[in-house]
Each structure stands twice: as structure tokens, then as C-alpha cells.
């Protein structure tokens, strides 16, 4: 399968990226381009490989999830969630992560979508992953918009053609990793972006 840079919606990316930089100036946006160059040097998989799954009605699991749900494709947000699903006998089809929360769980899915940005690119290994970035994509990378792993997974499902998206575990009032100000601002941004997406595609929280 040929591999080329892909950006699904440049205008949406511009909106999200501008908003994120305004809300979270403490993050290393100035290194995002360097991160993209690093990811472009990895022998990644084409994002088109994800089209082998049936994206009509995905089930997306976020770290605080408790309820198992049905869906045409199972997406785990973070390696932590993939491990939690595995303990319940569920193998995720796709794991979406930026490699910062139980990265060893990333390999539990059939394919991993790894986000590379200015605060993590030196930690992300080269591997058989689909790499997403926060700038205009280069090499074998893609920009699916979104900002946190959770809302980025929902953007990905939307761009893959989802008609209805079920989400188990999104709870901005109960952060799993930490509860500092930066994390709370990220979750507020994720809430805004999920609400924005819900005007384009049916999103169901369980």
C-alpha cells in the first residue's frame, strides 16, 4: 500500500490547533514541526490501512470506562485502556495513543495510531504504526485533527466514515492519569471538540 501524507480537513485542523495554542500556551507547540519531521522519518503504516475495518458504528473506549459496548470496530484510547479491555477478554482493533499512558498496551490492538507532537517525539519509537501529527503532515504521516487522544479517536472515526459513534468512559470530571490544571484544560478542550463533532455525526455517550 502506497504511503503519502494525509490531512483530512485543513480548515478543521486550523480551528483546533489555533484554539489549543490559545488555551494551552504552556505546551511545546514550537517543537511540533520538529516532531513531524521525526515522525516522517519512521517507516510507518499508511492511514489507509484503517479502512480494512468497518467504521459504520465504532465503539470507542476511554480510560475511565466501565461498560462494555458493541460496535463495528473497537477503538481503545491509550495503552492503559487496551490493557483494561484485554483483562475483560476484548481485543481492540485500533489503539489511539501518544505513548504516554501504559505504552506497553499499545501493541494489544491490531493496529496502533500513534500521535507525535512537540512534547513527546523523542519518546515515540519507530514501529509498524500509523503516525499522526499536529502540523501539516509529511512523509507517511496523517493529520486527523483533534487534540487529546480521546477526541482525536472520535475525529478519526468520523473521517473514516462513521454514521454513529458510541463512547464508553469519557468523563472530564474524573481524570485518570492526573488532575492538574493542564489536564483539566485538555479535558475541557476535548469536551468542546466532542460537542462540535456531535453536530456532524451521531455521538452517544454510555
Amino acid at each position: 500500500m502506497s504511503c503519502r501524507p494525509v490531512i483530512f480537513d485543513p480548515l478543521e485542523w486550523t480551528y483546533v490547533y489555533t484554539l489549543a495554542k490559545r488555551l494551552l500556551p504552556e505546551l511545546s507547540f514550537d517543537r511540533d514541526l520538529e516532531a513531524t519531521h521525526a515522525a516522517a522519518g519512521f517507516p510507518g503504516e499508511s492511514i489507509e490501512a484503517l479502512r480494512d475495518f468497518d467504521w459504520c458504528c465504532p465503539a470507542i473506549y476511554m480510560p475511565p470506562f466501565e461498560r462494555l459496548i458493541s460496535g463495528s470496530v473497537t477503538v481503545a484510547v491509550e495503552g492503559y485502556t487496551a490493557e483494561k479491555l484485554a483483562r475483560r477478554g476484548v481485543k481492540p482493533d485500533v489503539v489511539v495513543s501518544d505513548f504516554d499512558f501504559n505504552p506497553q498496551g499499545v501493541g494489544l490492538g491490531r493496529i496502533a495510531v500513534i500521535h507525535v507532537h512537540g512534547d513527546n517525539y523523542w519518546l515515540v519509537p519507530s514501529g509498524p504504526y500509523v503516525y499522526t501529527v499536529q502540523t501539516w503532515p509529511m512523509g507517511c504521516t496523517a493529520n486527523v485533527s483533534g487534540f487529546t487522544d480521546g477526541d482525536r479517536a472520535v475525529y478519526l472515526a468520523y473521517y473514516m466514515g462513521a454514521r454513529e459513534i458510541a463512547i464508553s468512559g469519557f468523563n472530564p470530571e474524573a481524570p485518570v492519569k492526573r488532575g492538574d490544571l493542564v489536564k483539566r484544560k485538555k479535558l475541557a478542550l476535548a469536551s468542546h471538540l466532542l460537542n462540535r463533532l456531535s453536530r456532524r455525526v451521531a455521538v452517544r455517550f454510555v
Side-chain angles (χ1 to χ4, degrees):
M1 181 181 294
S2 62
C3 202
R4 58 184 178 82
V6 175
I7 184 166
F8 286 91
D9 188 339
L11 290 179
E12 185 67 12
W13 162 63
T14 300
Y15 171 82
V16 172
Y17 199 51
T18 300
L19 182 60
K21 287 193 290 185
R22 187 167 74 240
L23 293 177
L24 292 150
E26 55 271 81
L27 301 184
S28 302
F29 295 101
D30 58 318
R31 295 202 298 254
D32 280 345
L33 185 58
E34 188 175 348
T36 297
H37 279 284
F42 296 155
E45 296 282 340
S46 170
I47 199 167
E48 294 301 310
L50 296 173
R51 298 193 186 279
D52 290 342
F53 300 111
D54 178 1
W55 288 92
C56 78
C57 309
I60 298 179
Y61 291 90
M62 299 189 186
F65 88 87
E66 293 300 332
R67 291 183 58 187
L68 293 179
I69 54 178
S70 60
S72 59
V73 58
T74 300
V75 181
V77 175
E78 298 277 20
Y80 170 91
T81 307
E83 290 183 337
K84 191 173 177 180
L85 283 168
R87 289 195 297 271
R88 298 191 180 192
V90 177
K91 182 178 180 63
D93 298 301
V94 180
V95 179
V96 175
S97 174
D98 66 354
F99 234 77
D100 75 338
F101 194 16
N102 291 35
Q104 66 275 9
V106 163
L108 293 173
R110 292 181 171 85
I111 191 165
V113 180
I114 305 299
H115 193 60
V116 185
H117 55 77
D119 286 293
N120 80 338
Y121 69 95
W122 58 88
L123 300 173
V124 175
S126 175
Y129 307 126
V130 173
Y131 290 101
T132 59
V133 295
Q134 286 187 175
T135 69
W136 197 270
M138 304 175 187
C140 191
T141 67
N143 186 320
V144 300
S145 199
F147 190 72
T148 73
D149 288 324
D151 60 83
R152 191 167 52 254
V154 180
Y155 269 99
L156 174 65
Y158 168 66
Y159 290 133
M160 286 289 117
R163 297 194 300 271
E164 180 182 59
I165 300 169
I167 299 173
S168 180
F170 181 69
N171 185 354
E173 303 304 319
V176 175
K177 283 186 291 186
R178 62 185 197 275
D180 57 75
L181 178 60
V182 170
K183 183 62 175 180
R184 291 197 298 273
K185 288 196 290 185
K186 285 182 177 180
L187 288 172
L189 177 57
S191 295
H192 169 75
L193 294 178
L194 291 175
N195 181 63
R196 180 178 173 86
L197 275 170
S198 70
R199 297 194 289 269
R200 305 182 187 184
V201 60
V203 177
R204 178 170 58 91
F205 294 92
V206 296

